């Protein structure tokens, strides 16, 4: 690993990115979260302790590394501070270990209210968001009414922007949704200033830091949140998140030139099967006992919201698409152990749409809804790979599974994860 590295979700999130980032961190100088916000829930398990990271990069648990929350992330200060407190005993002083971009936008309580009201008003068409205010915070950013970390260093300017933003939020809540708006500017202002004091000395120009680091030859691990299929441009729109959660978000999310970012290696993380939390199309979803079995064995309940995740077979049409748009150099397959005791394992290699075979992931939701997966059925290994660390003890059916994934996606599988704990993985390259 002599280059910087991008770790991305290849599916609809929760692929196990947190675990992978934590285990690879020792080889890098910086770990960077560059999009999304506390909608992310990245789990790291070390021994018998479990950490759920939402805003802070998953490199934070390793000493001597710089963790950056860059400009593309939307930051809820209350959640950031709570998260810092939860890991304070491991990290100690966050100074020189955590940096927050001065250009990062802030998620305010009114963004969360608007998220909830927008979802409620959509009825059956709701997205199933995490209700963390992510969409409305990005709306403020693009409407140019957002407030950034840098603004908080100038309290009168912050106050003026907050008054305007809250007047707008109040009018939307009351006039569009017909609900009461009880937040007071005084309260939000004083809460924000009080919280900001706790993190102000971590605020930095992370774009400049990264530019200098990369030019010096230091190595950066970019940690994607969500997954490619939730990308605002390339995902299953409108059932997506509000940021570019594919590699497309790297430049705008970090403020680093594509020339520098382009030198990094890109690895996609994919479960050996597939899950989705929230609404939206999912061609290989299993609404039967097989799906239930995947959910129970894989403990498929959301890290952020606790919601049961929808489960299904691995979709290689979607994975092929993720490999292409991200320029993935290889894949990391997680949760292999969850498939341990299945007689047979299916993977979708194409879709059937109105009698035609499709191999490219369609843009239209209407088309996707009618797509039926065309499966290749593989023999299960029907034995335990749980916690395996040695490639030579992998059953031959696992190699067949890997070969199918590699043939269909045209990239190598470089690592397998065989359990949630930090040490449970096998390098294949
Ligand atoms: P992320 O959002 O991509 O970081 O993934 P999450 O942390 O939301 O969800 C992945 C879940 O799977 C977490 O509970 C992890 O502890 C767990 N996990 C990660 N890798 C493995 C694995 O190889 N096997 C098993 N059984 N669990 C895993
Ligand atoms: P990590 O980083 C899985 C989903 C939500 C919803 C949609 C929009 O842990 O993989 P949002 O709150 O972002 O506006 O919700 O996106 N979603 C995720 N699903 N993992 C995540 O993050 C997710 N972050 C958002 O469930 O369908
Ligand atoms: Mg998650």
């Amino acid at each position: 690993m002599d280059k910087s590295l991008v770790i991305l979700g290849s599916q609809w999130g929760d692929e196990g990115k947190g675990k992978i980032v934590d285990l690879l961190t020792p080889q890098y100088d910086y770990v960077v979260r560059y999009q999304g916000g506390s909608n992310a829930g990245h789990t790291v398990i070390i021994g018998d302790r479990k950490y759920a990271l939402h805003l802070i990069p998953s490199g934070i648990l390793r000493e001597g590394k710089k963790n950056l929350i860059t400009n593309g992330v939307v930051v809820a200060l209350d959640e950031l501070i709570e998260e810092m407190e939860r890991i304070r005993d491991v990290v100690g002083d966050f100074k020189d270990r955590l940096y927050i971009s001065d250009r990062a936008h802030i998620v305010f309580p009114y963004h969360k209210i608007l998220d909830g009201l927008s979802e409620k008003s959509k009825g059956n068409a709701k997205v199933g968001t995490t209700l963390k205010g992510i969409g409305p915070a990005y709306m403020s950013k693009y409407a140019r009414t957002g407030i950034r970390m840098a603004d908080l260093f100038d309290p009168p300017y912050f106050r003026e922007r907050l008054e305007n933003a809250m007047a707008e939020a109040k009018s939307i809540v009351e006039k569009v949704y017909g609900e009461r708006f009880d937040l007071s500017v005084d309260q939000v202002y004083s809460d924000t200033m009080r919280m900001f004091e706790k993190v102000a000395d971590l605020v930095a120009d992370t774009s400049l830091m990264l530019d200098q680091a990369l030019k010096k030859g230091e190595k950066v691990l970019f940690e994607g949140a969500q997954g490619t299929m939730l990308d605002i441009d390339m995902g299953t729109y409108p059932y997506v998140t509000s940021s570019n959660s594919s590699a497309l978000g790297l430049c705008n999310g970090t403020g680093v030139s594509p020339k520098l970012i382009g030198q990094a290696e890109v690895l996609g993380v994919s479960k050996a099967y597939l899950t989705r939390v929230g609404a939206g199309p999912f061609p290989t979803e299993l609404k039967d006992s097989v799906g239930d079995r995947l959910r129970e064995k894989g403990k498929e309940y959301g890290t952020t919201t606790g919601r049961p995740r929808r489960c299904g077979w691995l979709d290689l049409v979607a994975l092929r698409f993720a490999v292409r748009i991200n320029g993935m150099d290889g894949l990391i397959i997680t949760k292999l152990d969850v498939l341990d005791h299945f007689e047979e394992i299916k993977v979708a290699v194409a879709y059937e749409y109105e009698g035609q075979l499709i191999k490219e992931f369609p843009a239209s939701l209407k088309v996707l809804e009618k797509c039926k997966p065309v499966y290749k059925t593989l023999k299960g290994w029907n034995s335990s790979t749980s916690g395996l660390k040695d490639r030579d003890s992998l059953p031959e059916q696992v190699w067949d599974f890997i070969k199918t994934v590699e043939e269909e996606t045209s990239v190598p599988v470089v690592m397998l994860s065989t359990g949630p704990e930090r040490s449970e993985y096998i390098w294949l390259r």
Side-chain angles (χ1 to χ4, degrees), residues 115-143:
D115 200 353
L117 291 172
S118 161
E119 282 287 272
K120 198 168 135 200
S121 76
K122 289 192 173 99
N124 284 340
K126 73 175 182 184
V127 176
T129 74
T130 58
L131 302 177
K132 295 288 183 183
I134 304 300
Y138 281 113
M139 282 169 72
S140 294
K141 170 173 171 171
Y142 287 101

Side-chain angles (χ1 to χ4, degrees), residues 206-221:
T206 54
S207 157
L208 182 63
M209 281 177 79
L210 280 177
D211 185 78
Q212 290 172 341
L214 288 164
K215 284 177 179 159
K216 261 201 290 185
E218 288 184 296
K219 291 196 302 173
V220 181
L221 176 45

Side-chain angles (χ1 to χ4, degrees), residues 82 115 161 171 186 217 220 248 250 337 339 351 378 380:
E82 266 172 44
D115 200 353
R161 288 194 65 82
S171 115
D186 284 345
V220 181
L248 303 176
L250 277 160
D337 54 300
L339 294 187
Y351 297 149
L378 302 164

Side-chain angles (χ1 to χ4, degrees), residues 13-15 17 39-43 303-304 309:
D14 302 327
E15 297 89 349
K17 299 173 293 293
N39 49 350
H42 295 183
T43 316
T303 308
T304 300
R309 295 174 183 149

Side-chain angles (χ1 to χ4, degrees), residues 8-9 13-20 39-45 50-53 58 223-226 269 271 273 275 297-304 309 333-338 386-387 416-421 424-425:
L8 290 170
D14 302 327
E15 297 89 349
K17 299 173 293 293
K19 173 200 161 152
I20 301 298
N39 49 350
H42 295 183
T43 316
V44 178
I45 298 183
K50 183 172 171 172
Y51 303 86
L53 299 162
S58 302
E223 176 179 8
Q226 290 80 52
V269 186
K271 286 183 200 185
Y273 50 100
T275 65
K297 274 213 75 186
K299 300 196 176 81
E300 296 296 353
Y301 296 89
T303 308
T304 300
R309 295 174 183 149
I333 303 282
T334 58
K335 303 193 101 163
L336 184 77
D337 54 300
V338 174
S386 178
L416 298 175
S417 171
T418 56
E421 215 272 341
E424 295 173 312
Y425 66 93

